Amino acid sequence: MSNTKTISDACKAWLKRCERDELERATLRSYRNHVDHHIAPAIGELCLVSLSRADVRDFIDEMLDKNSRAMTDKVLRSLRSALNEALDREWIDNNVALSVKLRRSSRNAPDRVIPTKDEIKTMLSTVPVKHRPLIVTAIYTGMRMSELRGLRWENVDFSRSIIQVRQRADRFNKIGKPKSRSSRRDIPMAPSVKKVLMAWKADCPEGEMDLVFPNGIGNVESPSNISNRVLYPLLIDAGIVKADGKPKFSFHALRHAAASLFIEQGWPAKKVQTILGHSSITMTFDVYGHLFDNAEDDVDLFAKLEAA
């Protein structure tokens, strides 16, 4: 164990590890920002061996005074990862940041927008023909926008009615591996998805990457174009807007729509987790746990409990 290594040393070693692991450019940039703008200026010079839980708690509290909870949570995760790197290198005996939790607060937290069944039906009946394949696939598979943008025709198995998630496109339009190991998955196609994709294949712009949802010249479509040229005009045309007339939700809400449909059909949480590509069942329950609740079933359960 080294008595001279600092938190900045641990961060540098961790970032080097991330580069060797070939993480996506956007992810690396975010991690470097966490280190350069938050961790290093505040606690970078502290010796690793003298770092305490109290030091980490003070750092997090100061972060919360100046930044959003979301950013604070991301920086805390990066700090934990950097200290894990130091632990692997035997610079420290334990990672004190692991036991420091960012307490949850529901106050002023924005509600997660989940499209209703009526809104889903309205979207499907309003969407223009040329955008229908993308919207239908998103709603009935729950795929992330990055996964849809990186989907290749060779991974659409019409004979087995399966979509294989094997790659994704990042915000810079670079094709890479799925977000995580659990993101690599096979998703059954609903009949409407299979039908619309089979028809779309003949009209889809061709390109070297063989993409299912490319731009007009066959290359990777940008996230902003999908939002600004496809989803937002659709929501406005369908009247699915907020009080100020702006679109009610983002493209990611279509993933929530898919999850709500899966859960409404009574699918078990483990199946929902697998199809959505969540890394753990905890994540599925954190995001959609309230949709699994059924007040009427609970009443019946309590009646049976009382009778017993």
Side-chain angles (χ1 to χ4, degrees), residues 15 28-39 75:
L15 290 174
L28 283 171
R29 186 175 69 174
S30 294
Y31 289 166
R32 290 193 187 98
N33 285 339
H34 297 166
V35 172
D36 295 342
H37 298 154
H38 301 288
I39 298 175
V75 172

Side-chain angles (χ1 to χ4, degrees), residues 61-303:
D61 287 345
E62 290 178 6
M63 278 282 302
L64 285 170
D65 290 339
K66 303 175 184 177
N67 303 273
S68 67
R69 290 183 62 81
M71 176 55 71
T72 302
D73 182 54
K74 291 176 182 178
V75 172
L76 176 58
R77 291 172 186 269
S78 291
L79 177 60
R80 288 172 180 161
S81 297
L83 294 180
N84 275 338
E85 180 68 26
L87 187 63
D88 288 343
R89 293 171 180 268
E90 298 184 341
W91 294 348
I92 52 177
D93 289 328
N94 67 299
N95 186 342
V96 296
L98 292 177
S99 59
V100 178
K101 308 297 182 182
L102 185 62
R103 299 179 182 89
R104 294 189 177 187
S105 173
S106 59
R107 184 174 60 184
N108 298 326
D111 293 331
R112 182 174 286 107
V113 179
I114 300 179
T116 66
K117 286 186 70 175
D118 285 341
E119 289 171 340
I120 294 173
K121 290 178 181 177
T122 302
M123 291 175 61
L124 293 174
S125 63
T126 306
V127 62
V129 174
K130 65 178 180 179
H131 297 150
R132 186 173 181 78
L134 174 63
I135 297 299
V136 168
T137 305
I139 288 176
Y140 287 118
T141 66
M143 292 173 65
R144 300 175 177 91
M145 184 197 282
S146 61
E147 295 168 345
L148 291 164
R149 292 168 55 234
L151 180 64
R152 296 173 298 181
W153 281 113
E154 68 180 67
N155 294 126
V156 179
D157 189 337
F158 289 117
S159 63
R160 297 170 55 219
S161 297
I162 293 290
I163 291 178
Q164 301 171 316
V165 179
R166 298 294 183 267
Q167 65 178 31
R168 64 191 288 261
D170 68 13
R171 72 179 69 178
F172 303 103
N173 298 339
K174 180 181 178 182
I175 297 294
K177 297 178 181 179
K179 185 177 181 181
S180 63
R181 183 180 302 175
S182 56
S183 295
R184 180 185 170 92
R185 62 200 189 278
D186 294 348
I187 304 174
M189 282 190 280
S192 59
V193 174
K194 182 176 180 178
K195 180 180 179 181
V196 76
L197 288 182
M198 290 182 73
W200 168 240
K201 189 170 185 180
D203 298 325
C204 177
E206 296 182 0
E208 293 182 0
M209 289 183 281
D210 192 37
L211 298 175
V212 178
F213 302 113
N215 60 18
I217 57 175
N219 295 328
V220 179
E221 182 62 281
S222 70
S224 60
N225 281 347
I226 290 178
S227 295
N228 297 325
R229 299 180 183 178
V230 180
L231 180 66
Y232 295 158
L234 168 59
L235 295 179
I236 292 173
D237 289 344
I240 305 174
V241 296
K242 295 182 287 189
D244 59 4
K246 294 182 179 179
K248 186 176 179 180
F249 43 73
S250 68
F251 195 90
H252 194 72
L254 302 187
R255 182 166 160 83
H256 298 326
S260 69
L261 293 177
F262 300 157
I263 295 168
E264 185 187 48
Q265 295 303 307
W267 293 8
K270 190 64 180 177
K271 181 181 288 292
V272 175
Q273 174 203 343
T274 301
I275 290 180
L276 292 178
H278 285 163
S279 58
S280 69
I281 195 71
T282 301
M283 179 182 295
T284 305
F285 277 120
D286 282 348
V287 180
Y288 304 114
H290 64 290
L291 296 179
F292 287 96
D293 295 333
N294 187 315
E296 293 180 0
D297 287 348
D298 290 345
V299 170
D300 291 339
L301 289 173
F302 273 87

